[in-house]
Amino acid sequence: MASGKLIVFSAPSGSGKTTIVRHLLSETNLPLDFSISAASREPRVGEIHGKDYYFLSAADFKAKVDGDAFLEWEEVYKDNFYGTLKSEITRIWAEGKHVIFDIDVVGGLNIKKQFPKETLAIFVQPPSLEEMERRLRGRATETEEKIKMRVAKAAQEMDFAKKFDTVLINNDLSVAKQDAYNMVSEFIKK
Ligand code: 5GP
């Protein structure tokens, strides 16, 4: 495959998108590989450099911005930079696979704009903001202040849903996983 497809999963955090993306990656009959983003935040317990993210210092991140290494990048939260490296797309397409992304809504739409035909942009919608807050608390990886910040951002992000190719409602995780599988396998056949 000279060039493949791009499958973007975007959503407010706490929507379950990371779980859905991991599920699709574990489906051996879908030829997908994960676009490992660069991020300037601290790794959470269990996260691995070069698998979950390329964890960079803010200075190293800025050097890559200056070097034009990113397809898109953003300050998703104050002082926390995240970005998609151009080299991830070439790496994965060279493997003969399609690229799957777990990125925020602005980044997701940015990729869709740059590759309109190749991209399927999926917005994962949590059942409600209350449920999302409950999930974030259940994850117990963030401080109270950070949870509040994420919920506030999520409320804004919900407005973006209509700009995506499709909305995946995550009420029931096993249904959402199956729906996601169907959407992706249809799209990569085209
Ligand atoms: P987290 O800190 O929870 O891993 O990620 C915070 C937010 O940043 C999530 O919405 C995540 O999808 C998003 N994100 C991760 N990587 C990228 C990226 O490369 N670009 C953009 N724009 N957002 C990203």
Side-chain angles (χ1 to χ4, degrees):
M1 192 188 315
S3 75
K5 300 251 166 66
L6 305 173
I7 318 285
V8 170
F9 279 84
S10 292
S13 61
S15 63
K17 76 174 180 304
T18 303
T19 310
I20 293 167
V21 167
R22 287 204 186 123
H23 167 72
L24 294 176
L25 284 163
S26 73
E27 288 282 339
T28 46
N29 52 346
L30 291 177
L32 300 174
D33 199 358
F34 182 59
S35 166
I36 304 164
S37 295
S40 73
R41 72 157 167 76
E42 291 297 316
R44 295 191 189 115
V45 176
E47 284 183 330
I48 298 169
H49 174 79
K51 179 168 176 279
D52 299 289
Y53 284 106
Y54 299 113
F55 292 103
L56 305 180
S57 66
D60 288 346
F61 194 101
K62 283 179 184 146
K64 289 205 183 288
V65 171
D66 293 342
D68 197 25
F70 288 110
L71 191 60
E72 61 78 36
W73 67 273
E74 265 183 276
E75 187 173 7
V76 175
Y77 303 107
K78 190 170 179 307
D79 296 329
N80 284 358
F81 299 93
Y82 296 80
T84 303
L85 293 160
K86 293 177 182 171
S87 54
E88 285 297 286
I89 318 291
T90 43
R91 170 179 74 79
I92 295 169
W93 281 352
E95 289 170 4
K97 293 185 176 170
H98 306 289
V99 189
I100 186 164
F101 299 82
D102 174 347
I103 69 179
D104 91 324
V105 292
V106 175
L109 291 173
N110 191 341
I111 288 175
K112 175 78 191 174
K113 200 168 157 200
Q114 296 187 57
F115 294 94
K117 286 209 198 76
E118 294 87 347
T119 304
L120 175 65
I122 302 172
F123 185 92
V124 183
Q125 188 166 310
S128 65
L129 286 176
E130 291 72 30
E131 172 61 14
M132 183 192 310
E133 192 165 345
R134 205 185 58 76
R135 288 181 190 176
L136 284 171
R137 279 185 214 291
R139 196 157 82 181
T141 55
E142 312 299 324
T143 60
E144 185 58 29
E145 187 198 347
K146 289 210 168 140
I147 289 173
K148 289 265 179 290
M149 185 172 82
R150 281 172 186 258
V151 171
K153 183 172 161 70
Q156 293 167 6
E157 286 180 327
M158 296 291 214
D159 286 346
F160 282 87
K162 49 188 172 297
K163 298 191 174 156
F164 280 73
D165 294 320
T166 182
V167 174
L168 174 68
I169 297 180
N170 184 13
N171 277 335
D172 175 324
L173 188 59
S174 56
V175 175
K177 282 177 176 172
Q178 185 61 47
D179 289 348
Y181 179 90
N182 294 343
M183 286 171 185
V184 172
S185 56
E186 268 307 303
F187 184 71
I188 62 180
K189 264 194 241 154
K190 286 181 193 163

